[in-house]
Amino acid sequence: MEEKISNKIDIDTIDIHSIPPAEEPARQYYYIKKCRLLLQEIKEREGRELTCNVTNFGCQMNARDSEKLLGILRSAGFQETDSEDADFVIYNTCTVRDNANQRVFGRLGVLNGYKKKNPQMKVALCGCMMQEDLVIEKLRKSYGFVDLVFGTHNLYKFAELLYRCYAEKGMIVDIWEDTDKIVEDLPVERKFPFKSGVNIMFGCNNFCSYCIVPYVRGRERSRAPEEILREIRNLAVDGVKEVMLLGQNVNSYGKEPAGTGFLSFPELLREVEKVEGIERIRFMTSHPKDLSDELIEVMKQSKKICRHLHLPLQSGSTRILNKMNRRYTKESYLALAEKIRRAIPDISLTTDIIVGFPGESGEDADDTIDVIRKVQFDNAFTFVYSKRTGTPAAAMEQVPEKEVRENFDRILACVQETARERVKRFEGQVLPVLVEEINEQDASLVTGRLSNNTVVHFPGDASLIGEIVDVKLVRCEGFYYIGER
Ligand code: SAH
Ligand code: SF4
Ligand code: F3S
């Protein structure tokens, strides 16, 4: 295996008495060191260690960002704890649906209670929700105990903001409108030693009419392929077997910023395949409008790309898809699903569905049900439409709640029925499982995933975590399997 190459900076050599460097990431390493010294003083004064807690409310990209936050906190000298009764608590928020939003405000009250008992405690908020003006207004007005607020575009500045949070008084708010910058090589603390998300692009340019993501994550920009590959090689040296390439629409990887001559997504996959030590490659999310024949071909040829494709449908009605600005039709989606299945018969297809988009009728829901029956998804995440201020759909006429409920229940029932049938198809077979953790309910079992992402529970112990082992799929229980070695 090749040697670990890193551009990371050696903190010991930094001189904190000189002025802060202007360039990144050197500037952030400078602040990590400043934080270390400052926190050391507090620890000595208090006669104890300082703890931190990071909570993630959003998607896989948000989860990856949380690993970066934790990386900085650990480098600065905090010890991680499971409890939110900690010295530094940060919520990495999501605003894709209103319920994610409400959960944050609900839990902030609890943090205030902890803070009253612990004068050392700092509360920080970041992530997608913070990119909304109304949220910031509300925080300033009614949540004065929050110490630090920043958004999605300046996450790489966390070390500097953390320092300011301790050096200055009052609520620090730093939100940027957008950025074209990608800063690499800051500390990261992975949740799992054997698998990792890897950002390949940031932002989104699709502007689906219901979706807030383009407004809070900014314009689409891809990371340079050599940076991505360098990160993946380092991960492999570090023991990672599975990588998940992350982007809001990975199929448009390499297109923005224009004129860079970056690889296309299928070309990038071919390069990732060559990285020794990586055994499984996943990616999320694939927009149906941009899924190329070349991608299907690369998946088919590959030994490492997992037999799973998450292909968000959103709606099966062409009329609604059009109003959603999804740029495909019911028929083209069905044709695409069939083409994929024909090329890779054992593949699992999963999807996202929104129920109750403005103007959606019972007949539109029938169309969605028709697609579910025809495609036979292994799983479908079904969401009630949530009105997001500032998106075009928010100004359209909304569907009465009762109607939404009825359609939701019908669609969910159909998803459960078809998925149950579909997932079962491997019953009795022996297939490789990457073991992820001890089962949460029953400590005599371990939990892992098949290549196609289906969960398997089987008897085993902690020594199997991170290993890929052959498991007999004894019994299918709806969305998961019970197995044995
Ligand atoms: N970029 C991905 C999706 C990211 S958001 C894609 O294009 O598929 C994840 C999922 O949240 C979406 O697929 C959609 O089903 C859901 N979602 C987004 N906005 C929503 C809204 N306003 N109400 C309900 N669900 C929404
Ligand atoms: Fe949202 Fe559409 Fe972009 Fe996905 S592709 S993040 S649904 S705007
Ligand atoms: Fe939520 Fe932001 Fe992801 S809004 S779904 S955390 S990109």
Side-chain angles (χ1 to χ4, degrees):
M1 240 182 251
E2 62 196 286
E3 214 176 289
K4 189 162 173 174
I5 356 139
S6 173
N7 290 351
K8 288 190 184 142
I9 291 163
D10 181 5
I11 292 185
D12 293 336
T13 64
I14 298 172
D15 174 14
I16 55 149
H17 302 293
S18 63
I19 56 157
E23 73 279 9
E24 299 289 2
R27 187 178 174 88
Q28 298 314 309
Y29 280 91
Y30 170 93
Y31 280 106
I32 290 174
K33 185 152 183 185
K34 297 261 289 186
C35 284
R36 262 191 202 175
L37 296 171
L38 195 148
L39 293 173
Q40 192 54 39
E41 275 174 36
I42 302 177
K43 288 185 209 174
E44 277 162 21
R45 205 169 58 222
E46 296 284 311
R48 61 178 178 91
E49 291 297 328
L50 292 174
T51 55
C52 71
N53 178 273
V54 182
T55 306
N56 163 53
F57 287 78
C59 61
Q60 258 108 348
M61 262 156 278
N62 201 249
R64 182 65 178 156
D65 287 347
S66 291
E67 294 183 344
K68 296 178 183 173
L69 296 169
L70 187 59
I72 302 278
L73 287 166
R74 294 274 302 259
S75 322
F78 284 102
Q79 284 187 351
E80 195 192 358
T81 161
D82 288 341
S83 162
E84 290 187 4
D85 191 356
D87 296 301
F88 190 93
V89 175
I90 182 161
Y91 283 175
N92 190 9
T93 64
C94 169
T95 189
V96 78
R97 286 171 290 275
D98 192 50
N99 53 4
N101 220 293
Q102 291 309 326
R103 262 173 48 222
V104 168
F105 282 118
R107 281 168 65 166
L108 271 177
V110 181
L111 291 190
N112 194 19
Y114 293 140
K115 197 171 168 178
K116 283 185 180 137
K117 288 185 300 172
N118 177 4
Q120 293 307 323
M121 184 173 177
K122 302 271 185 201
V123 174
L125 297 169
C126 68
C128 293
M129 215 174 123
M130 301 304 126
Q131 294 294 138
E132 294 182 281
D133 297 342
L134 285 174
V135 169
I136 302 300
E137 246 172 68
K138 188 166 166 177
L139 289 172
R140 283 197 202 271
K141 213 165 117 197
S142 317
Y143 295 82
F145 63 89
V146 172
D147 300 281
L148 171 64
V149 180
F150 58 99
T152 54
H153 304 302
N154 53 346
L155 183 109
Y156 72 87
K157 290 243 178 216
F158 179 48
E160 185 170 348
L161 292 164
L162 182 65
Y163 179 74
R164 283 184 57 197
C165 180
Y166 280 91
E168 296 171 26
K169 285 206 164 54
M171 186 192 283
I172 294 170
V173 180
D174 191 10
I175 311 288
W176 299 3
E177 281 298 304
D178 205 349
T179 183
D180 51 9
K181 222 172 161 147
I182 297 175
V183 177
E184 314 270 356
D185 295 313
L186 284 161
V188 186
E189 189 72 33
R190 282 198 313 279
K191 187 170 171 208
F192 297 98
F194 51 87
K195 70 170 186 177
S196 180
V198 175
N199 297 110
I200 64 167
M201 58 205 296
F202 300 94
C204 180
N205 282 356
N206 286 310
F207 291 96
C208 302
S209 64
Y210 50 82
C211 184
I212 192 103
V213 171
Y215 305 88
V216 296
R217 286 272 170 178
R219 293 295 57 75
E220 185 178 305
R221 53 213 181 272
S222 296
R223 277 177 80 192
E226 55 276 17
E227 292 290 349
I228 296 169
L229 291 164
R230 185 163 60 86
E231 180 174 342
I232 296 176
R233 286 187 201 110
N234 282 339
L235 288 169
V237 173
D238 212 25
V240 166
K241 290 181 179 155
E242 177 179 302
V243 285
M244 162 91 86
L245 309 182
L246 299 171
Q248 291 299 352
N249 176 15
V250 292
N251 294 328
S252 66
Y253 172 79
K255 296 195 180 125
E256 298 286 344
T260 49
F262 287 173
L263 304 175
S264 68
F265 183 57
E267 287 165 346
L268 178 70
L269 282 171
R270 280 209 184 93
E271 292 306 311
V272 178
E273 176 104 15
K274 292 179 197 155
V275 179
E276 211 184 304
I278 297 297
E279 295 180 48
R280 283 182 169 186
I281 304 166
R282 300 185 186 277
F283 51 85
M284 256 188 119
T285 301
S286 239
H287 195 306
K289 78 176 165 66
D290 299 314
L291 198 145
S292 65
D293 290 350
E294 196 191 348
L295 176 65
I296 300 174
E297 193 51 36
V298 169
M299 288 186 80
K300 188 178 160 180
Q301 304 294 333
S302 169
K303 298 217 162 28
K304 296 182 178 176
I305 300 175
C306 288
R307 288 324 195 214
H308 173 220
L309 195 59
H310 187 66
L311 197 62
L313 168 68
Q314 314 302 3
S315 167
S317 155
T318 298
R319 193 178 72 85
I320 295 296
L321 285 169
N322 196 22
K323 287 176 68 177
M324 285 177 162
N325 191 29
R326 289 291 288 179
R327 287 173 276 175
Y328 53 86
T329 62
K330 175 184 182 182
E331 289 69 32
S332 67
Y333 187 96
L334 284 171
L336 178 62
E338 202 190 311
K339 184 158 70 178
I340 297 165
R341 279 264 165 73
R342 219 179 311 122
I344 315 165
D346 60 348
I347 199 165
S348 291
L349 294 177
T350 57
T351 202
D352 291 345
I353 292 165
I354 298 176
V355 187
F357 181 85
E360 186 182 64
S361 65
E363 277 155 43
D364 294 315
D366 291 342
D367 270 327
T368 302
I369 289 177
D370 190 39
V371 175
I372 298 168
R373 290 209 192 288
K374 287 189 169 125
V375 175
Q376 299 274 307
F377 295 107
D378 275 69
N379 202 355
F381 299 95
T382 312
F383 306 109
V384 170
Y385 166 75
S386 173
K387 182 171 155 182
R388 306 318 287 135
T389 310
T391 62
M396 299 176 190
E397 195 175 335
Q398 310 290 308
V399 182
E401 215 181 298
K402 184 168 160 287
E403 236 170 276
V404 178
R405 262 293 135 204
E406 279 169 17
N407 287 335
F408 185 88
D409 291 345
R410 282 198 302 138
I411 289 173
L412 188 67
C414 178
V415 165
Q416 285 173 340
E417 186 195 317
T418 50
R420 195 175 293 271
E421 270 310 300
R422 178 81 193 154
V423 173
K424 210 162 75 180
R425 68 194 183 282
F426 298 109
E427 213 169 59
Q429 292 190 27
V430 176
L431 289 174
V433 171
L434 172 57
V435 182
E436 297 193 341
E437 57 200 359
I438 299 286
N439 185 295
E440 279 172 18
Q441 267 93 47
D442 180 348
S444 72
L445 302 178
V446 288
T447 298
R449 282 172 196 274
L450 299 177
S451 164
N452 76 11
N453 213 33
T454 302
V455 169
V456 183
H457 308 290
F458 66 97
D461 58 42
S463 68
L464 294 175
I465 294 175
E467 300 297 317
I468 297 179
V469 292
D470 284 334
V471 176
K472 181 166 184 191
L473 306 176
V474 178
R475 200 168 72 243
C476 180
E477 303 262 357
F479 289 100
Y480 62 89
Y481 278 103
I482 299 293
E484 64 190 25
R485 283 188 82 181

